[in-house]
Amino acid sequence: MKRRDFLSAMAVGAMGGLIPAPARAQASRRLVVFFLRGGLDGLSALVPLEERWYWQARPSIAIPPPGEPGGALPLAKGFGLHPALEPLRRLWDEKLLAVIPACGLPSPVRTHPEAQRDMESGLPGDRHAAEGWMSRLLPLLEKNAKGLTLAVRPPLIGQGKPGLRNVQPTGYPPSIWRLERPAAFAAFDAAYKGMDALGRMYRQSQITLRNKLVELDREISVSAGGAPSVHALPQLAGQVADYLSKAPDARLVFAALGGFDAHFQQGAGSGRLAEAFLSLGKGMEAMAKALGPDLERTAVLFLSEFGRSLRENEFSGTDNGYATLCMVLGGGVAGGALHGPWPGLAPDKLADGLDLAVTVDFREPLAEIAQRHLGLDRAALAQILPGYMPTGAIRSLFNAPPS
Amino acid sequence: MAVHVLDRLSFGPYPGEIERVRAMGWQVYVEEQLAPEKMALPRALTDRLAALPTQSMDTVALFRAYGPKPPGGPRKTPTLDEINQAKEKAAVIQNEAAEARLWRAILSPRQLEELLVGFWCNHFNVPASKGLAHLWVGSFEREAVRPHVLGRFEDMLLAATRHPAMLIHLENWLSASPESPAGKALQRPLAELHARELLSSHTMGADAKPKAQDVQSLALILAGWTVGSPRTPQDGGGFTFDERRHDMRDKPFLGQTVKGQGVAEGVEALKLLAARPETARSLAGKLARFFVADAPPRELEERLAKAWLDSGGDLRVVLGALFASPEFADARFAGTKFKNPERWLVSVARAASRPVVETRSLAEHLEWLDMPLYDAPGTSGFRDAQEAWLTAEGLLKRLNLAVQAGQGGLPCWSPGTWRALEPLDAQTLAAVMGRTPSPDTAQALRDAAPDLKAGVFLGSPEAQRH
């Protein structure tokens, strides 16, 4: 199926041809941002199949290569897609999906609220930032342009003057990480039931474990920042598309989803992270479908505050890391390709010796979207992202300049 | 007895080793271990060591290649950034030293020698995080410790004391006698830290209360022992004697008088210290704790101290006496010592006998288990006692790692490509390690899910002790 066919097929499905096509063609471009809170594990989403360090560092949570049970799906040379993200392959083949494999903040910040603040403000390192880059972007669009954020509390990204209107999403499923004592410890209980020093210390260690899990639980719920879990994405995508089709002036939409903080038992081809990816994939597909022909003039950006550590931790999970993948979905993107360099996973290539290094500043795709998708000039860009000089590292992200 | 001997003289048995030692007789194994120079290192090990370039560099070469460099030009001293950059680059030295240590522990047939190197490195602890010591953690071991672990203590004491790593760590390199030409210009020229450690933890024991007079005398005796490029025949390996920091007066020391004669005073003082009965008692006791029990019988300590004094501190003789003692063979002490993280992790790697492809990850596990190799805190190293290692946090981490290992999931076993995890087998492991699970552990093993069984064994009390 050719890309155009796919778009029109989706148009029939989603819109039922109710809206006359010519009116659409005149309308201007839109940006939808989905913030994936919790730190998305880019190394599980986009599997570096040829990196021996990947297999070495993640003995029990690496995604197996293509052909193995639960194995990755071949995507680009040297890279596979998580099997649960299967719907993305169609978008990729239709050249609607572009991926930046190692994207993130200019320097590592490994706590969720701070990293999220840096990305939403567009002013990394500014601890007192009180306005977001989307609210700086909105007034630069045409006069009656409107923006909307979907969050429990108005997110920083839409704050400022005039700011984006916030709508509280309700009735969404809660966090997907339910904390339990790892099953392995139940197996030790019998071996340590003695009253000797080891037995006593074992019982103390189980109290320590419980405290640790409570701590992790707290961190995971903080990381979601009150956002609905990613399982809400398929439904939310439909609602976002609906809103866009009913509000002709709507130009910017932001929604945040939680559930990527995978500190323990994240699983590999299946498991908790795979479930999160399943909803992510379905949601992205639903978004493309629901937008229908509007996808042509829409860019949908998927951002996460950081990736995960290269090494798996003692709970078969991963800790807060640095670079992760950034995805852009849209009719105008140079889809079906990876954009920006891959830093590699050799120990000397890692950030702080721990995590995938960032080769593309997260502001770079924002700059590309502002200039090449929304058609703003450099002066406007300087207002949206003060102090940022685009490097041009992903010049290739969009197909053609805006008409 | 074969199991006990392997538990105490090695990092733990590998498959078939218990049978091998049984067949040859445990006394023969002990003799073999006491003469490591007769055992060839296998190719598998020598190839691994050869792949670590900083492992064959000496103290001076390491400083030249990795030390902070004066920038040249108008600035004389490097900036903080330049120092940090040099430090970052030099991190490879400690990494490679730790990797080499683990390669040897896993693959070397000279197991006793490796244990002793660890023992004495810990005794003469030079933590990598202190000053320039990170450059020399490996060369200190190679130059000051390894050649002497089965030789005379006196030689090791001398080599360790004059090594730049130690001189810098304990600050003697800056010390000068107030009466010396260089010292007269300084506000507080004399540094006593090294002298104090020499009199207590290095020789007569951490609990020894050295007299202030002796500490000061020894500091004066060692004034001028510093680092630098050689000037006299006594200098070398980065050690140099700076006579401008030394005064030539006679010094009272340990009830005797050390005649003013320059660098030879220090050598004489160290010989005096090495020959002290307190030194013999303290170090014989430390060896007995290491090889027999956290609280060894008093008679054994005394017998070993006597062997120490009679042989003039010949460590091979002392260890021979230890291994021949009835206390060493006493079944009462078998399997009572709690393995420290290094010993436990290496014993797992040896018993599992899976091809280990890298030891970096093992070194990281040890750091995580609060036993960073070559970076023990303080001047006297890690404590060799159950209560030092048996903590709630530590046990939790160990059990997590045990489960990971039991599932075959240690990163050190990964071939660097994808492979389905193959769990280890609990019964095989128990047989290789020579352990009979206690009724409680046997119960836990029966109840555990198949992929957890090996982990449960590796984390059980039996596998934690040696």
Side-chain angles (χ1 to χ4, degrees), chain A residues 44 58 80 104 111 117-118 141 196 199 230 286 312 316:
Chain A
S44 288
R58 297 185 161 199
T111 59
R117 182 201 61 212
D118 283 359
L141 303 170
D196 58 343
V230 63
E312 68 178 73
S316 300

Side-chain angles (χ1 to χ4, degrees), chain B residues 19-248:
Chain B
E19 292 74 20
R20 187 177 77 93
V21 172
R22 252 185 215 131
M24 75 202 282
W26 68 268
Q27 289 92 342
V28 180
Y29 178 81
V30 170
E31 267 166 50
E32 216 178 72
Q33 289 298 317
L34 282 171
E37 62 282 358
K38 293 190 190 134
M39 273 181 280
L41 295 182
R43 258 307 278 283
L45 175 57
T46 51
D47 285 354
R48 291 296 187 181
L49 297 178
L52 304 169
T54 62
Q55 277 291 298
S56 50
M57 293 167 76
D58 66 22
T59 294
V60 177
L62 284 168
F63 182 77
R64 293 210 172 115
Y66 293 97
K69 288 180 187 57
R75 276 186 305 125
K76 267 219 194 82
T77 47
T79 63
L80 196 60
D81 264 359
E82 285 164 337
I83 293 174
N84 285 337
Q85 271 166 23
K87 208 159 181 173
E88 214 162 280
K89 187 174 153 223
V92 67
I93 299 172
Q94 190 193 346
N95 285 348
E96 290 192 354
E99 286 171 38
R101 162 92 71 104
L102 288 161
W103 281 123
R104 288 175 185 271
I106 295 169
L107 296 176
S108 176
R110 307 171 178 176
Q111 287 281 299
L112 176 63
E113 184 181 38
E114 292 313 316
L115 283 174
L116 289 170
V117 167
F119 175 91
W120 289 110
C121 275
N122 196 49
H123 179 76
F124 290 112
N125 184 37
V126 178
S129 45
K130 184 86 185 277
L132 282 178
H134 64 279
L135 295 176
W136 297 315
V137 285
S139 70
F140 176 76
E141 172 184 309
R142 286 190 295 281
E143 292 157 15
V145 176
R146 191 171 280 282
H148 306 295
V149 292
L150 287 166
R152 279 154 49 83
F153 174 72
E154 185 185 292
D155 298 335
M156 192 176 350
L157 181 65
L158 182 59
T161 306
R162 49 180 274 152
H163 198 279
M166 186 68 84
L167 290 170
I168 289 184
H169 167 43
L170 293 178
E171 296 165 11
N172 198 74
W173 72 296
L174 291 168
S175 181
S177 160
E179 301 298 315
S180 67
K184 280 191 176 125
L186 298 168
Q187 191 109 55
R188 296 190 55 190
L190 197 64
E192 294 187 347
L193 182 61
H194 197 170
R196 191 178 304 278
E197 290 303 323
L198 271 171
L199 279 160
S200 55
S201 62
H202 286 177
T203 57
M204 300 202 282
D207 302 330
K209 301 257 181 303
K211 288 198 197 106
Q213 171 69 64
D214 287 332
V215 173
Q216 202 200 3
S217 288
L218 188 54
L220 288 172
I221 288 168
L222 293 177
W225 286 41
T226 186
V227 298
S229 43
R231 265 190 297 243
T232 68
Q234 283 96 345
D235 302 352
F239 170 81
T240 196
F241 180 68
D242 182 356
E243 65 271 17
R244 287 171 304 125
R245 293 172 170 271
H246 194 82
D247 78 68
M248 286 300 201

Side-chain angles (χ1 to χ4, degrees), chain A residues 51-53 55-60 62-65 68-69 182-185 187-194 196-198 201-206 208-209 212 311-316 353, chain B residues 338 357-358 364 368 386 390-393 395-397 399-400 402-404 408-412 414-419 421 438 440-441 443-444 447-448 452 455-457 459-461 464-465:
Chain A
E51 293 270 9
R52 72 185 184 91
W53 306 103
W55 311 109
Q56 204 129 14
R58 297 185 161 199
S60 64
I63 310 304
E68 300 291 341
F185 282 98
F188 282 111
D189 289 348
Y192 279 96
K193 64 176 181 238
D196 58 343
L198 260 72
M201 199 50 78
Y202 175 77
R203 285 181 285 282
Q204 240 181 62
S205 77
Q206 297 310 295
T208 309
L209 174 66
K212 257 194 160 93
R311 290 180 191 77
E312 68 178 73
N313 67 16
E314 74 269 32
F315 299 117
S316 300
Chain B
F338 189 68
V357 293
E358 49 93 30
E364 280 167 14
W368 183 64
Q386 169 165 311
L390 182 58
T391 62
E393 184 90 358
L395 188 58
L396 193 62
K397 290 174 176 175
L399 297 184
N400 269 311
V403 170
Q404 205 182 348
L410 287 188
C412 68
S414 162
T417 52
W418 184 81
R419 172 190 65 118
L421 290 186
S438 71
D440 285 352
T441 301
Q443 181 66 44
D447 296 346
L452 284 178
V456 167
F457 172 72
S460 71
Q464 307 283 344
R465 294 201 179 109

